[in-house]
Amino acid sequence: MSEVLVLVDAVDGKVTKPTLELLTIARRLGEPSAVVIGSADAESLKKYGAAKIYTVEDADTKDYLVAPKAEVLAQLVEKTSPAAVLVVSTGEGKEVAGRLAVKTDSGLITDAVDVADDGTTTQSVFAGNFTVKAKVTKGTPIITVKPNSATPEEAAGDGAEEAFAATVSDAAKGAKITGSEPRKASGRPELTEAAIVVSGGRGTGGNFEPVEAFADSLGAAVGASRAAVDSGWYPHSFQVGQTGKTVSPQLYVANGISGAIQHRAGMQTSKTIVAVNKDEEAPIFELVDFGVVGDLHAVLPAATEQVNQR
Ligand code: FAD
């Protein structure tokens, strides 16, 4: 069976959930080989089916931006002739994938939301209005997959570790990282990985306290609509939608959000959707499983109190 290379995304050595999703998808196409550039917890890679783990501990990659990673992957593609290369659809992931496609003269598909066992990908485009099926026809299929496109499934893999000695050219070291600071931890789960997301929109009037308090009562992540972000009420990294993050939690609670198509594009695949909106005609109510017509500043504190009592 051919190898399928999965570029591992890890934060402080902890493998991210989207990487575990890629390992699950990779098993449809062949035998997953995890590629660790830096450090990552090998046990979770094995637990989710990595048959092989390539480790690249080259000082040349650590302090640089994306170009060295693309070079390392290109050398691994040459060595292993994989059935496909899967990368998480983050900003960095897509840049690495694009560079890799050029280096290996291969076809590239970005932002897939599904990959079938014959390599056919599904993309959701134009704010979810069209579904595109596509397949790479040249070289090694290089596919970036959006987070929350699959449910990570455990499947013990051998996880045989193999150090890969890559060479990084001077040209790839054109931009060096001069410093980085971790984002202040909120104690809340990562937005794209959370099982519950509680979001606020223009209806918050800029007061996110009830949204945050309700999120904390449920152990949820906080999201925001673009109107809230553009108003400077919440950072862009929490924006859900076409030009923000795509989330697909078990439960999504939209508060003071009208339900514009661009917002839906980032949350409509959530398993259960609840909305609180004072306008009973708001389009978000077309989408919900449960709706509350009311002022979020009254509804959310009452709901928080109820949850906290349990
Ligand atoms: P509004 O549409 O103004 O809705 C506010 C809602 O709050 C209303 O329904 C109102 O009834 C309700 N409300 C008011 N007060 C209360 C209260 N006290 N209690 C309860 N309910 C109340 N938007 C995104 O969200 N994400 C994106 O990624 C995104 N990308 C975009 C990309 C493009 C190219 C474009 C053109 C637009 C994009 N937008 C995006 C913007 C989108 O079209 C909407 O403008 C935006 O989603 C509206 O945000 P909102 O629902 O918070 O605000």
Side-chain angles (χ1 to χ4, degrees), residues 192-251:
T192 55
E193 298 181 13
I196 306 175
V197 174
V198 178
S199 285
R202 204 193 305 272
T204 61
N207 176 11
F208 261 69
E209 269 177 40
V211 172
E212 291 185 331
F214 187 50
D216 290 342
S217 73
L218 296 168
V222 172
S225 74
R226 177 156 160 187
V229 169
D230 285 353
S231 302
W233 300 338
Y234 231 69
H236 178 257
S237 53
F238 294 89
Q239 182 178 314
V240 172
Q242 185 186 335
T243 42
K245 301 225 163 106
T246 303
V247 299
S248 192
Q250 295 297 320
L251 173 64

Side-chain angles (χ1 to χ4, degrees), residues 34-282:
V35 183
V36 178
I37 302 178
S39 66
D41 166 31
E43 283 314 308
S44 49
L45 297 172
K46 283 183 207 169
K47 196 168 155 192
Y48 285 86
K52 211 181 252 184
I53 302 173
Y54 292 108
T55 54
V56 183
E57 291 206 27
D58 194 331
D60 281 349
T61 54
K62 188 165 63 70
D63 295 331
Y64 294 90
L65 297 174
V66 293
K69 290 184 182 165
E71 277 198 358
V72 169
L73 272 179
Q75 288 162 36
L76 257 176
V77 167
E78 200 183 323
K79 173 183 148 92
T80 60
S81 303
V85 181
L86 303 183
V87 181
V88 179
S89 268
T90 56
E92 177 176 308
K94 283 191 268 191
E95 193 176 339
V96 170
R99 287 170 181 267
L100 177 64
V102 171
K103 284 182 187 304
T104 58
D105 198 18
S106 297
L108 165 72
I109 292 173
T110 56
D111 288 338
V113 292
D114 195 18
V115 186
D117 49 14
D118 70 347
T120 302
T121 63
T122 306
Q123 291 162 295
S124 178
V125 301
F126 295 133
N129 281 324
F130 287 88
T131 298
V132 175
K133 301 272 185 192
K135 198 171 175 182
V136 168
T137 53
K138 187 179 182 199
T140 304
I142 296 163
I143 302 167
T144 79
V145 182
K146 279 194 168 193
N148 290 314
S149 294
T151 305
E153 286 165 18
E154 292 184 19
D158 287 350
E161 291 191 39
E162 185 178 323
F164 181 68
T167 51
V168 176
S169 70
D170 283 345
K173 293 191 267 180
K176 189 167 185 177
I177 297 168
T178 54
S180 66
E181 271 178 43
R183 206 171 9 163
K184 218 172 91 208
S186 67
R188 299 192 183 102
E190 216 287 309
L191 182 55
T192 55
E193 298 181 13
I196 306 175
V197 174
V198 178
S199 285
R202 204 193 305 272
T204 61
N207 176 11
F208 261 69
E209 269 177 40
V211 172
E212 291 185 331
F214 187 50
D216 290 342
S217 73
L218 296 168
V222 172
S225 74
R226 177 156 160 187
V229 169
D230 285 353
S231 302
W233 300 338
Y234 231 69
H236 178 257
S237 53
F238 294 89
Q239 182 178 314
V240 172
Q242 185 186 335
T243 42
K245 301 225 163 106
T246 303
V247 299
S248 192
Q250 295 297 320
L251 173 64
Y252 185 86
V253 189
N255 302 286
I257 293 176
S258 60
I261 188 79
Q262 296 89 354
H263 187 79
R264 293 180 185 208
M267 46 64 76
Q268 62 196 354
T269 56
S270 304
K271 310 293 172 293
T272 301
I273 299 173
V274 176
V276 178
N277 197 301
K278 66 179 186 184
D279 175 9
E280 64 178 40
E281 303 286 329

